[in-house]
Amino acid sequence: MNILTIPARRALLSSAAVALALIAQPVVAQEKPKEHADGPAAAYEPSMTTLGQIQVEIPGRREGDPVMSQDEFQRGTKIYFERCAGCHGVLRKGATGKPLTTDITRENGYDYLHSFITYGSPAGMPNWGTSGEMTDEDIDLMARYLLLEPPAPPEFGMAEMMETWKVLVAPEDRPTEQMNDIDLDNLMSVTLRDSGEVALIDGNTYEIRAVINTGYAVHISRISASGRYVFTIGRDALINMIDLWMETPATVAQLKVGSEARSIETSKFKGWEDKLAVAGSYWPPQYVIMDGNTLEPKKIVSTRGNIYDEQSYHPEPRVASIVASHYNPEFIINVKETGKILLVDYTDLKNLKTIEIEAERFLHDGGFDSTKRYFLVAANARGKIAVVDTKEDKLTALIETGGATPHPGRGANFVHPELGPVWATSHLGDESVALIGTDPEGHPDQAWKTVQTFEALGGGSLFIKTHPNSDNLYVDAPLNPDAETSASVAVFKISDMKAGEDPEYTVLPIGEWAGIAEGQPRVVQPEFNKQGTEVWFSVWNAKDKESAIVVVDDKTLELKQVIKDPRLITPTGKFNVFNTRGDVY
Ligand code: DHE
């Protein structure tokens, strides 16, 4: 397939064909249970794989409990944490999925549970049995397992953290100036998901300068305000702090902050650059503030508490995205299940001041507007974007995007020719892109509203991106069930956009350009170089198959480079040092 220009609403795949596997949320109304996808899509709902490794005891037997051996219980726990806990919660108290506490499961009984697991439900429960994902034996095991009390995984406090803390190169032994010739601002830190590594790739020469061991299924990289340190976090909650000034960049400190985690950030306010780091965990539900030079844990704060609206207690509210304010010495911490956004003042950890904003449940990912004053975060299972004014420290708006399951990554900021400054998100559950007005001064009528929606390639989009120097908006669709769609990207020309009119888009066959013979690679997460002249895409294949990174010239939309290397195993997120540290997107 060559580059293709398509009028909007004639996408590669009919929007109705999008039934996203494992997006177990009620937002996509469906008549029949969802089918499972395989490969990367199946990995999308949180899978608590690390928790699944923990040894647990069968809680005290009660009368009528099914008989289960310790081995069976251990296996049931592993399956539960890997496949069910993401939606139903570690303690089975419910999240996007229904609660599965024993008062409910015992009332429903073994036969009901068995058939529910086998056939799924229209509300979003996957059909684990009929899809072939679970064997009859496992379904029987899980139906019995759910009749027993859930095990509580261990907490992870200061004592446990201190046991994992390692300073591999002390601050006084680190270089006092940059010891390599890398253009650090244009370096890309690339997640190699299934090998648990990051590749540091030179943005000018496309050369891999280092491959560094990180946590299990490493998730994101964030960069210190100075640009010297890269922080990575694995799903096993292991943080690596990498010093880019060393001759060959390497890990200088490590800390494990829990059993399951997804987010990490560093302090960015003037005077606090590189001073502190913060990480949020899925389990235990908490965040930890660390020394920004050594990762020494300073303060652990639990996020357990009441859901913002119904004010009932939630035992395991996971920490989703975290960003650092540019307007105040604060971390902005998004707590998923309670729907609260915490603005944590990091200037005095002994007398910690936190502003707690009531936002919306199921907060997930988000980014700043172009002025960096407003933070926009998706409450994705609620179809909304919450906007926080980080200067005044209050909720500005809660906006319906009109689409199913907004998933912005950090979003995309640009000036719409007719609507003024906007921030954009794409959606997991359908093909729509929503633009939200972000200029309350210059365009008060458009501010904090969904001012335009239009269609991109198809559902299953995860990330959207542009750059202040670019006239293009890129939208991926890696979780789309259609192979050609999931290997392509839609590009919209910003200067051609008109209010109320669906823009045309160009389709880039990135997967085909990668020239990969085997597998079904998905194209994920556009990321710009520092100058905004090139955009990089991961071509994400299975672990045992070839993957690649494809670099596109932003002006001509032509292929510029295909980066291939046996070390590039399952590349997904890419984090340009300059753009990530400055929140340029
Ligand atoms: Fe992510 C960001 C959670 C699956 C790639 N992901 C985030 C953030 C959270 C999150 C909370 C925001 C971090 C921040 O800004 O501080 N992700 C989760 C999950 O719970 C989920 C759904 C399932 C799981 O078990 O982890 C999940 N994520 C994935 C993937 O399958 C992806 C596509 C591939 C991969 O590498 O695992 C993936 N997530 C990413 C990326 C970002 C991210 C690339 C950062 C985007 C950015 O531009 O900043």
Side-chain angles (χ1 to χ4, degrees):
M1 183 171 74
N2 295 318
I3 290 187
L4 197 70
T5 302
I6 306 199
R9 306 203 184 277
R10 227 190 65 222
L12 277 181
L13 180 78
S14 119
S15 58
V18 176
L20 277 174
L22 285 187
I23 309 303
Q25 290 151 353
V27 280
V28 189
Q30 287 195 321
E31 307 273 83
K32 59 184 177 72
K34 297 167 187 205
E35 293 296 322
H36 269 155
D38 48 13
Y44 198 71
E45 271 300 336
S47 169
M48 312 289 229
T49 320
T50 326
L51 273 187
Q53 316 294 322
I54 288 172
Q55 291 300 307
V56 287
E57 295 290 319
I58 305 183
R61 257 183 73 80
R62 292 178 307 175
E63 213 189 311
D65 273 354
V67 178
M68 190 170 278
S69 68
Q70 176 61 37
D71 281 357
E72 281 184 308
F73 189 73
Q74 193 64 48
R75 176 161 170 71
T77 303
K78 181 170 186 294
I79 295 175
Y80 182 81
F81 284 150
E82 286 178 0
R83 305 199 153 186
C84 321
C87 295
H88 297 285
V90 169
L91 302 173
R92 308 208 315 237
K93 296 266 168 69
T96 48
K98 295 212 165 83
L100 293 172
T101 41
T102 49
D103 52 328
I104 298 167
T105 57
R106 287 171 155 235
E107 175 76 31
N108 289 328
Y110 173 89
D111 290 340
Y112 175 91
L113 294 169
H114 191 280
S115 105
F116 205 68
I117 300 169
T118 307
Y119 299 107
S121 82
M125 170 74 175
N127 54 332
W128 294 104
T130 49
S131 67
E133 289 268 325
M134 269 193 202
T135 61
D136 287 349
E137 204 185 322
D138 282 347
I139 293 172
D140 163 61
L141 173 69
M142 293 315 288
R144 285 185 291 133
Y145 177 85
L146 292 175
L147 294 168
L148 297 175
E149 287 300 325
E155 299 297 320
F156 210 88
M158 191 53 90
E160 290 79 13
M161 275 184 213
M162 289 308 280
E163 273 178 32
T164 70
W165 179 44
K166 288 187 200 138
V167 179
L168 303 166
V169 185
E172 57 276 18
D173 299 331
R174 294 178 201 160
T176 48
E177 59 185 39
Q178 189 182 334
M179 302 300 286
N180 55 52
D181 61 355
I182 306 171
D183 174 3
L184 290 184
D185 264 352
N186 204 20
L187 191 71
M188 295 274 188
S189 178
V190 178
T191 297
L192 303 178
R193 187 187 195 274
D194 293 359
S195 64
E197 295 169 319
V198 291
L200 300 179
I201 306 183
D202 191 317
N204 300 333
T205 63
Y206 313 118
E207 193 192 331
I208 300 179
R209 304 295 293 242
V211 174
I212 296 170
N213 243 313
T214 57
Y216 170 82
V218 58
H219 200 204
I220 62 164
S221 297
R222 293 291 186 240
I223 322 288
S224 70
S226 71
R228 172 171 180 174
Y229 293 107
V230 173
F231 294 81
T232 65
I233 187 139
R235 280 181 169 76
D236 57 357
L238 179 69
I239 300 170
N240 274 53
M241 179 178 173
I242 298 164
D243 185 357
L244 297 180
W245 279 11
M246 291 164 80
E247 203 174 321
T248 305
T251 297
V252 290
Q254 275 185 329
L255 177 74
K256 198 162 146 53
V257 290
S259 323
E260 285 281 345
R262 302 290 183 275
S263 47
I264 176 102
E265 179 59 301
T266 77
S267 51
K268 290 189 178 152
F269 188 64
K270 209 167 173 322
W272 287 87
E273 295 94 338
D274 292 20
K275 291 266 190 301
L276 296 168
V278 60
S281 320
Y282 274 12
W283 189 270
Q286 63 193 23
Y287 64 87
V288 51
I289 299 178
M290 297 151 280
D291 184 291
N293 220 8
T294 63
L295 291 182
E296 182 185 0
K298 297 275 186 201
K299 177 123 194 154
I300 306 168
V301 184
S302 170
T303 50
R304 292 184 169 109
N306 290 341
I307 298 171
Y308 85 96
D309 52 354
E310 61 190 48
Q311 309 215 12
S312 56
Y313 180 70
H314 200 290
E316 47 171 310
R318 291 174 274 203
V319 176
S321 49
I322 304 183
V323 293
S325 172
H326 298 267
Y327 277 83
N328 283 301
E330 289 171 349
F331 291 127
I332 300 159
I333 299 180
N334 297 283
V335 188
K336 210 181 254 290
E337 280 76 15
T338 51
K340 291 174 179 174
I341 302 175
L342 309 178
L343 308 179
V344 178
D345 179 335
Y346 50 67
T347 55
D348 182 358
L349 299 185
K350 285 259 175 270
N351 303 285
L352 196 71
K353 276 189 265 160
T354 302
I355 294 171
E356 185 185 283
I357 293 180
E358 294 179 4
E360 182 54 282
R361 293 183 73 178
F362 310 120
L363 299 169
H364 190 71
D365 52 348
F368 287 102
D369 78 310
S370 61
T371 68
K372 303 184 182 87
R373 170 170 171 177
Y374 297 95
F375 171 65
L376 298 97
V377 57
N380 53 19
R382 288 283 190 264
K384 288 186 189 155
I385 301 291
V387 186
V388 173
D389 179 348
T390 66
K391 188 174 173 197
E392 301 290 333
D393 280 353
K394 54 184 188 211
L395 186 72
T396 300
L398 269 176
I399 305 158
E400 305 252 1
T401 63
T405 324
H407 193 286
R410 286 167 281 172
N413 287 295
F414 60 93
V415 180
H416 187 290
E418 294 179 4
L419 300 168
V422 293
W423 176 91
T425 181
S426 56
H427 293 80
L428 253 168
D430 64 31
E431 61 289 302
S432 67
V433 172
L435 308 185
I436 290 172
T438 57
D439 182 22
E441 305 272 300
H443 297 77
D445 291 349
Q446 325 286 353
W448 317 126
K449 289 178 194 146
T450 299
V451 289
Q452 187 171 10
T453 59
F454 50 80
E455 291 178 5
L457 276 181
S461 175
L462 290 177
F463 301 107
I464 184 166
K465 197 58 67 76
T466 187
H467 185 279
N469 297 338
S470 169
D471 187 30
N472 291 319
L473 176 69
Y474 296 84
V475 185
D476 70 7
L479 299 190
N480 193 285
D482 176 72
E484 196 173 314
T485 308
S486 69
S488 304
V489 158
V491 192
F492 295 86
K493 198 165 161 45
I494 292 168
S495 52
D496 284 351
M497 289 185 183
K498 295 195 169 57
E501 217 176 88
D502 289 340
E504 292 197 336
Y505 61 87
T506 301
V507 180
L508 304 184
I510 303 286
E512 195 184 302
W513 284 349
I516 289 172
E518 276 184 79
Q520 193 197 318
R522 293 163 195 268
V523 171
V524 67
Q525 209 238 9
E527 177 79 355
F528 272 87
N529 64 348
K530 178 190 170 189
Q531 297 82 359
T533 53
E534 287 175 0
V535 57
W536 293 35
F537 298 91
S538 299
V539 183
W540 173 22
N541 211 345
K543 190 179 178 182
D544 57 350
K545 305 249 167 8
E546 187 178 50
S547 287
I549 288 173
V550 165
V551 181
V552 171
D553 184 304
D554 178 64
K555 279 269 169 314
T556 63
L557 297 185
E558 281 168 9
L559 173 66
K560 194 151 180 194
Q561 186 80 23
V562 177
I563 309 174
K564 281 189 185 170
D565 190 292
R567 292 171 293 174
L568 280 185
I569 297 164
T570 60
T572 54
K574 299 162 297 306
F575 304 90
N576 173 271
V577 166
F578 181 83
N579 296 336
T580 306
R581 75 185 169 102
D583 289 300
V584 179
Y585 36 77

